[in-house]
Amino acid sequence: MLLAECLRASAGYPAVWVCGLAEGWAAPFYALGARGFTSGLVNVAPERSLAIHAALESGDYERARKLVAEIAAFETMRTRFNNGANVTVVKEAMTLAGIAVGPVRPPGLVSLDPDDRRRLAEILRGWGLDPRASELAEAAE
């Protein structure tokens, strides 16, 4: 509702509104007039984030919903522990993909437990990313 009010209040001015939330919120914000969104996913699977952006820019909300559904498990993991796992999931996914990014700084969750790390590796494999992810997850234990 706040975005809708801001859009009404700035009508006629050269403002560009960007959804300050991730892909899951982008479609409803786009429907109100936002353009663009922030993304942690783009660090892990840029093609997925960019595909969502392209679908929204072209007004293809059906495709955007389908693409967002495909990343739902990843995004849900990020919301765990009152969003404390947000950055942790992204960093661990990058590490599983072979990109060393270092530890999460407090107050974020320092690391995923072995079960969550395995689940994250499964998500990455399901996207066709780094088939070594499961091996790396087991090695991290």
Side-chain angles (χ1 to χ4, degrees):
M1 294 309 298
L2 183 57
L3 175 62
E5 179 55 34
C6 289
L7 289 166
R8 281 191 294 277
S10 63
Y13 293 96
V16 176
W17 292 94
V18 175
C19 170
L21 300 168
E23 289 82 355
W25 285 96
F29 276 58
Y30 258 73
L32 288 174
R35 292 297 172 261
F37 50 88
T38 61
S39 176
L41 174 68
V42 76
N43 296 288
V44 179
E47 70 287 350
R48 289 181 176 275
S49 186
L50 293 171
I52 293 167
H53 180 261
L56 292 169
E57 282 293 310
S58 70
D60 189 347
Y61 287 92
E62 183 176 337
R63 173 122 176 95
R65 282 191 301 274
K66 178 186 176 292
L67 294 168
V68 167
E70 292 173 2
I71 65 163
F74 179 82
E75 293 299 325
T76 298
M77 283 189 81
R78 293 178 65 194
T79 66
R80 295 192 56 211
F81 308 108
N82 207 21
N83 285 327
N86 187 339
V87 173
T88 310
V89 169
V90 172
K91 284 190 162 210
E92 292 221 18
M94 293 176 73
T95 300
L96 289 170
I99 304 167
V101 294
V104 174
R105 290 178 283 177
L109 179 68
V110 176
S111 64
L112 297 178
D113 66 32
D115 288 337
D116 282 339
R117 195 173 295 115
R118 272 192 289 278
R119 176 69 185 124
L120 181 57
E122 289 172 15
I123 292 168
L124 296 178
R125 278 196 320 275
W127 292 348
L129 297 177
D130 194 12
R132 299 175 308 126
S134 61
E135 296 166 22
L136 291 168
E138 290 170 10
E141 293 177 25

